[in-house]
């Protein structure tokens, strides 16, 4: 069995993983899902990394799964502790010296998002609506639980931090995109995985939040990765 380290994205917390955690624990795995200091304006990428490393402790046989913005943090964790496999899930992939705030323009994200909205009949200039962008495939009962919890605060501080590594860490890495992602369109993600990691992205159905919308499907993909170890 393995230790899964589940790292949430911006404006989120460990609850995002609760359905995946329950399934993995039921299969006999150890699971840690740290809460990053997303509301703390004094916390940057170093503090995010420290929060993950602290929760890992002396655990071994680590499979790190990084959702969305955690693509900036997870490689830094891999520099601190021995990681067996890194899985990027609908994730940002940083370039050396690039901050999360710079990533959007450097990758052409806005153009890709607009083109997808236009193809699918949505107004690309409409006000941001999380239900349209993030929750369109999340079951209603899970949506209600999410809204009842409140939260969703994300400090600006980490978006200013340049990614400090000179190159991607020497860790087997898989990239899993979501085919119906309205935030990080699938074609955009395929290009980023190829350009920045030199790998072909794997794909699963669903939108940007698969741990809430398709937890069992996601666990099956993670378990396939574990058995093949990348």
């Amino acid at each position: 069995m393995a230790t899964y380290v589940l790292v949430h994205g911006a404006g989120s917390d460990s609850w995002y993983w609760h359905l995946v955690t329950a399934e993995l624990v039921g299969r006999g795995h150890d699971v840690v899902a740290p809460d990053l200091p997303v509301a703390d304006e004094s916390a940057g990428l170093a503090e995010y990394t420290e929060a993950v490393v602290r929760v890992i402790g002396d655990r071994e046989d680590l499979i790190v799964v990084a959702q969305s913005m955690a693509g900036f943090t997870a490689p830094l964790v891999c520099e601190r502790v021995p990681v067996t496999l890194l899985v990027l899930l609908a994730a940002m992939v940083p370039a050396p010296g690039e901050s999360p705030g710079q990533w959007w323009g450097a990758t052409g994200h806005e153009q890709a998002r607009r083109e997808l909205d236009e193809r699918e009949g949505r107004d690309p200039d409409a006000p941001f609506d999380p239900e349209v962008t993030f929750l369109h495939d999340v079951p209603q009962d899970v949506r209600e639980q999410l809204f009842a919890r409140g939260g969703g605060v994300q400090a600006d501080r980490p978006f200013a931090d340049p990614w400090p590594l000179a190159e991607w860490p020497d860790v087997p890495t898989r990239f899993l995109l979501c085919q119906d992602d309205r935030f990080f369109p699938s074609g955009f993600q395929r290009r980023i995985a190829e350009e920045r990691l030199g790998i072909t992205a794997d794909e699963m159905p669903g939108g940007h939040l698969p741990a809430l919308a398709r937890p069992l499907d996601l666990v099956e993909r993670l378990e396939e990765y574990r058995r093949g170890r990348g």
Side-chain angles (χ1 to χ4, degrees), residues 6 30 65 82 91 101 144-145 225:
L6 309 178
D30 186 14
V65 184
E144 291 172 358
Q145 293 173 49
Y225 289 155

Side-chain angles (χ1 to χ4, degrees), residues 187-205:
F188 167 79
Q189 292 259 272
R190 291 186 198 101
R191 173 173 61 82
I192 294 301
E194 176 62 36
E195 290 179 354
R196 297 201 164 190
L197 297 172
I199 63 177
T200 300
D202 300 315
E203 305 186 18
M204 67 174 287

Side-chain angles (χ1 to χ4, degrees), residues 89-90 116 119-120 122 136-137 175-190 201-210 214 217 221:
L89 177 62
L116 178 67
R119 283 198 306 273
E120 296 187 347
R122 292 184 296 278
H136 55 95
D137 65 334
F175 191 106
L176 181 57
L177 66 80
C178 297
Q179 295 164 331
D180 308 303
D181 194 335
R182 296 177 179 177
F183 190 52
F184 291 165
S186 58
F188 167 79
Q189 292 259 272
R190 291 186 198 101
D202 300 315
E203 305 186 18
M204 67 174 287
H208 191 66
L209 303 178
R214 297 175 176 266
D217 291 346
R221 298 304 295 265

